[in-house]
Amino acid sequence: MKKRILVPLLAIGILITTASARYKSDFFEIAKQIEIFTTLFKEINMNYVDETNPADLMDTAITAMLADLDPYTNYWNQQEVEQAKIQNFGQYTGIGANVFTQEHKIKLMEVYQDYPADKAGLKPGDEIIQIGDVMLKDFDEDAGELLKGAPNSKVNLKYIRQGKTEQTTLTREAVEIKAVPFYELTSDKIGYIVLSKFNRKASSEVATALKNLKEQGAEKIILDLRGNPGGLLTEAVNVTNIFVPKGEIITTTKSTIEKYNQIYKTQKDPMDTEIPLAVLINGKSASASEIVSGSLQDLDRAVVIGARSFGKGLVQRPKQLSYGTQLKVTISRYYTPSGRCIQALDYWNRDESGNATKTKVEDYNEFTTRNGRKVYDGGGILPDVKLETSEYSAVTNALLQEQIIFNYATEYYYSHADINLNDFVFTDKDFADFKKFLEKADFSYETDTEKQLKKLMQTSKKEGYQEAIAKTQQNMLKEIEAAKQQQIEAKKHEIERLLSDEIIKRYHYEQGLYTYYLSHNPEIKKAKEILNNSSAYRNILN
């Protein structure tokens, strides 16, 4: 292989981009460090004993540099830049599926109804191993790019389903990613709107849903932001503007760079400032979702129901770099109308292990809403009505992260006939079967207690107390392990709910799940209860 020498223009671009007006006094130091890095990079590539790959070295350098900041400041290659555009604009040409890219294979996590993957007979859980003539086991680049192509172009796929290799031909087509995948009027004149992301169509789709629901007779509204990871800040302001008057401050951004200090106000006449409104959030509602729920809470415009939100109070902006690449950099923090910054983690002041520190409850600051209600900063948006059913325990989060719930739903789908959406129940017998599945899956997870215990042992080793407390530590670990096993049964209710959700999607897609929610979901039931009791609704807001 011929050695390639890559001049580190990218690193220079990143560093110069950050060398804004605020750092004029430090420009000599920045230029000095760039020169050192450039010289070092060249010497390594020219003289290292083994052949180097300049692009890989640069990726490592960039990754290490950004790791010292926060997880939202990222370098995007050309493919990732295009993917971000898709997320923001809401339309692309592809297969119509949510995929999880693993080493040398692509796993389908969700298949969208009536889109190419669905039409080709693909199902969640299928693992694609060959795309066209390319065997993914021999492909070291982003295999997801192979699924993209011109509209109406065909591609042959080989995949593994339940241990068997199968194949199909798929025709690519335009896929629209809806910000509002579902809305419907319930029997008690409550309109239910799901907002799943904040792309450029978010506010227009919410407005259309509200208009249609009101024409159908809606007198109250539930806005579901659960699991919404955020998106465009301007769309968060525009969505809030649908329910609050023109000229209201929705969020303020603050930075050490003066030009990023902005006040975002509603710019349009609202659609409805009076209709009773409930907003649902949970621990996966982040960023723009927190701007909407936090501002509506601060302005006493909606009752917020569910669990404490994620706590992402940082604002990012893309910066164009060389060769079609991009830097997504954190430029400021945002604040709700009452003055709260809901950022939960401090990435600058890390602990001894290099982990971001979490704001302690006792360090939360108190603020007041327009009506004088107490609200707090530092840990996401705390709902007005907190429900245990909205929160996930450590064991449940581990089951989700390890894809145990997803994998069990796959097995369930292929071993059970179609289910009736109206009367589906995940039974005790099903849960017993799930626990057997857990044993086969060799599921395990580490609790925070175990992590702290390991740190204690490391400290005791340094101080010479390791042997003295070794037996105690082993006994504690055994007791923790026994308690962890009991957690599966103790958290049965929340695990069953997630299993039910995943199973319903296999048979009736996303639309079926939301339809099921309307009559079975505890958060929606609570929202209906409050909205249908005008006295309770007013008491919460006042």
Side-chain angles (χ1 to χ4, degrees), residues 6 122 279 530:
L6 176 68
L122 295 172
V279 177
I530 292 170

Side-chain angles (χ1 to χ4, degrees), residues 351-366:
D351 62 20
E352 293 178 356
S353 302
N355 299 315
T357 54
K358 191 171 186 178
T359 307
K360 297 178 181 178
V361 175
E362 56 266 29
D363 293 330
Y364 289 173
N365 296 302
E366 183 181 298

Side-chain angles (χ1 to χ4, degrees), residues 14 26 65 94 97 167 182 222 240 252 260 279 286 332 370 382 426 453 462 477 516 530 538 540:
I14 291 176
D26 296 331
M65 177 172 63
Q167 58 185 1
F182 183 88
I222 299 172
T240 311
T252 303
Y260 294 141
V279 177
S332 59
R370 180 163 287 177
L382 181 66
F426 192 80
L453 193 55
K462 292 177 182 177
L477 286 173
Y516 180 81
I530 292 170
R538 287 194 304 270
I540 292 171

Side-chain angles (χ1 to χ4, degrees), residues 18 40 59 67 159 180 201 203 209 249 356 359 419 454 502 524:
T18 60
L40 178 147
D59 281 345
Y159 59 96
V180 176
K201 297 181 179 180
S203 59
I249 294 176
T359 307
I419 61 173
K454 287 181 179 179
E502 193 62 51
I524 292 176

Side-chain angles (χ1 to χ4, degrees), residues 13-20 22-23 30 257 327 329:
I14 291 176
L15 290 169
I16 289 179
T17 299
T18 60
S20 59
R22 78 175 192 184
Y23 284 133
I30 294 171
I257 304 174
L327 173 70
V329 59

